[in-house]
Amino acid sequence: MRRLLAATTLAIALHAAPAAASADDPLEWLNRRVFDLNLVAYDHVLVPAARWYRAATTADERKAVANFTTNLRAPVAIANELLQGNTAGAKTAAARFAINSTLGLLGLFDPASEWGYPRDQPEDFGQTLARFGVPAGPYLVLPLIGPCNARDAVGRAADYLALAGYLDIDMLYALAGTVAVSEAEPTLEQDAADRKAAIDLYAAARTAYAQRRDFAVRDGAPLPDPDGILTP
């Protein structure tokens, strides 16, 4: 849900006039209704939970929780690195997992970063499918999950099935809830500001999602312009 209102939403999207139905969003009429329902869940469930979490914990404790949940999902990220043929990235991620799972007390701490193994954005199966040329497909808004596209919907399902390979169902639910609250807490104020600034919050979230996922698939590499010159 945090991604519904991610701080990465660009100002141009936030202040854009309400857009007509996009060619990549053929189900906009349905997506908007699901989006509105998700906002109700965000306002009445996730925001109160995130505020309680902030009040009940210290910044160091919240950082440890974020480290732990990231480390718990590391095997899935490593598998996706390998599927994409990125052996260097897989080795770095595997080294981080080994160090943080032992010396970092099951991932609560991050000694791997201090040892020269940087924390990179974890790879997911949606990115893996994109690397194999699978098109993004239509834009979707999934109940309680938020912005997505057809390719990433399949990717998320695959990632969760992979997690289910070493976590039981109760742990999987606990992980999903903890991640949602942990990721929502730091952005409460920015999310509220974005909502006030946006003329069409749905269109802004759709644009931000597409840009963020494109950036993730490219691993931050610049885009080639029509003349063949790389542009940021």
Side-chain angles (χ1 to χ4, degrees):
M1 285 299 300
R2 180 184 66 84
R3 293 179 180 176
L4 287 170
L5 303 165
T8 54
T9 301
L10 299 180
I12 187 172
L14 288 171
H15 294 88
S22 167
D24 296 328
D25 191 6
L27 297 176
E28 180 171 346
W29 63 274
L30 177 60
N31 285 334
R32 282 185 178 272
R33 285 161 177 77
V34 177
F35 183 82
D36 290 340
L37 290 174
N38 283 347
L39 285 180
V40 172
Y42 176 84
D43 289 338
H44 295 282
V45 179
L46 192 55
V47 168
R51 286 176 176 164
W52 174 86
Y53 177 61
R54 178 182 290 179
T57 57
T58 65
D60 286 342
E61 289 169 342
R62 293 192 293 274
K63 183 177 180 181
V65 169
N67 288 340
F68 176 78
T69 57
T70 298
N71 191 67
L72 198 60
R73 294 173 286 172
V76 177
I78 295 168
N80 280 298
E81 293 276 18
L82 291 172
L83 287 171
Q84 294 173 32
N86 185 3
T87 55
K91 288 179 180 178
T92 298
R96 285 185 54 82
F97 180 66
I99 294 169
N100 288 344
S101 296
T102 52
L103 299 179
L105 302 180
L106 299 180
L108 291 172
F109 304 98
D110 184 19
S113 292
E114 300 176 6
W115 287 22
Y117 296 96
R119 182 198 296 267
D120 293 326
Q121 184 67 29
E123 297 292 312
D124 56 58
F125 195 64
Q127 291 166 266
T128 299
L129 291 174
R131 293 293 179 88
F132 280 95
V134 177
Y139 179 74
L140 304 170
V141 180
L142 303 180
L144 300 181
I145 294 177
C148 199
N149 57 47
R151 181 183 64 207
D152 287 344
V154 173
R156 288 187 185 206
D159 287 337
Y160 274 103
L161 284 173
L163 284 170
Y166 59 92
L167 298 177
D168 63 34
I169 190 65
D170 291 334
M171 291 181 65
L172 200 57
Y173 284 142
L175 175 63
T178 302
V179 169
V181 173
S182 177
E183 292 185 349
E185 182 276 327
T187 64
L188 289 173
E189 290 74 21
Q190 184 61 53
D191 290 346
D194 287 349
R195 288 177 71 167
K196 289 181 179 179
I199 295 174
D200 184 349
L201 186 61
Y202 172 84
R206 180 177 62 193
T207 300
Y209 177 80
Q211 292 174 338
R212 185 171 61 252
R213 287 303 291 171
D214 179 66
F215 185 84
V217 167
R218 293 184 287 109
D219 286 333
L223 279 169
D225 70 10
D227 298 321
I229 301 173
L230 291 179
T231 57

